[in-house]
Amino acid sequence: MNNTRRTSARSGDALAQLLRSEGITNNSVLQAIANIPRERFLPDALQHKAYQNTALPIGQGQTISQPYIVARMTELLLQAPCIPTNILEIGTGSGYQTAVLAQLFERVYSVERIKALQFQAKRRMNQLDLHNISMKHGDGWQGWSSKAPFDAIIVTAAAAHMPEQLLQQLNEGGRLIIPVGDQTQQLHCVTRHGDEFESVIVEPVRFVPLVPGAII
């Protein structure tokens, strides 16, 4: 292991321990966080902040999520009533959350509305040898109907209201983790029971908005 990889591994372990102290208890999630060299998902000027527990800008008006939130949302997915195997992610962004999911679930489908971000994320997945991911450039509000139903859906931008299309793409017993709101946002955990959807508010959050449409 070269010095750079050794430093990343030590930093990843330290970040995982910090998240454990913040209340993340799932060992698989913590290990997935520890495994990922977060600096690879950031602009050069911000790489020195890679292992801080904070959201950071990645360009295009987007951010890489705070590691605690990445871990918390992933942990909630793993607690779904059905055992999730195929996951839909709305908002690929840098691909950091995608890389965490790819270590824990059999198949990850990820939709990103900004083509440049999707291209960069795809390249990072290849560099990290994560090949169980399918990516699509498209409108996150619409989900990915041709690959539905999904055992779980995770949304990494805040929707102004609950997206009906995403609810309908959930499997029976499936779970949707999504921030909802404008100025005040709450993280919702929604579980499907037949035609009924049980929603629980987890905690306050702050995300960039889930914008409809897709751009080149």
Side-chain angles (χ1 to χ4, degrees), residues 77 80 82 84 86-89 150-154 170 174-176:
L77 290 181
C82 67
N86 66 324
I87 309 298
L88 173 64
E89 177 191 35
F150 300 98
D151 298 326
I153 300 175
I154 181 171
L170 271 182
R175 177 164 282 187
L176 167 65

Side-chain angles (χ1 to χ4, degrees), residues 10-44:
R10 281 201 304 268
S11 300
D13 288 341
L15 178 57
Q17 288 307 311
L18 173 62
L19 297 184
R20 186 185 295 280
S21 74
E22 293 284 329
I24 304 301
T25 59
N26 188 294
N27 288 328
S28 297
V29 172
L30 291 167
Q31 187 58 57
I33 293 279
N35 290 344
I36 295 296
R38 193 170 183 248
E39 69 276 5
R40 291 205 196 179
F41 297 83
L42 288 166
D44 291 347

Side-chain angles (χ1 to χ4, degrees), residues 136-148:
K136 176 184 177 182
H137 174 233
D139 182 350
W141 280 91
Q142 303 303 314
W144 197 336
S145 58
S146 65
K147 302 295 184 183

Side-chain angles (χ1 to χ4, degrees), residues 101-181:
L101 295 172
Q103 297 176 75
L104 298 167
F105 300 101
E106 188 176 310
R107 193 76 202 169
V108 178
Y109 298 89
S110 190
V111 178
E112 172 55 54
R113 67 180 293 268
I114 301 172
K115 186 68 174 177
L117 290 181
Q118 187 218 7
F119 176 80
Q120 292 164 9
K122 197 167 192 175
R123 187 177 60 192
R124 291 183 186 111
M125 297 307 107
N126 288 332
Q127 290 169 346
L128 291 169
D129 250 357
L130 297 170
H131 303 296
N132 58 332
I133 303 161
S134 298
M135 292 186 176
K136 176 184 177 182
H137 174 233
D139 182 350
W141 280 91
Q142 303 303 314
W144 197 336
S145 58
S146 65
K147 302 295 184 183
F150 300 98
D151 298 326
I153 300 175
I154 181 171
V155 183
T156 60
H161 55 84
M162 196 66 70
E164 184 63 28
Q165 290 270 26
L166 299 185
L167 292 174
Q168 296 308 322
Q169 289 176 31
L170 271 182
N171 243 335
E172 168 63 26
R175 177 164 282 187
L176 167 65
I177 308 297
I178 181 171
V180 179

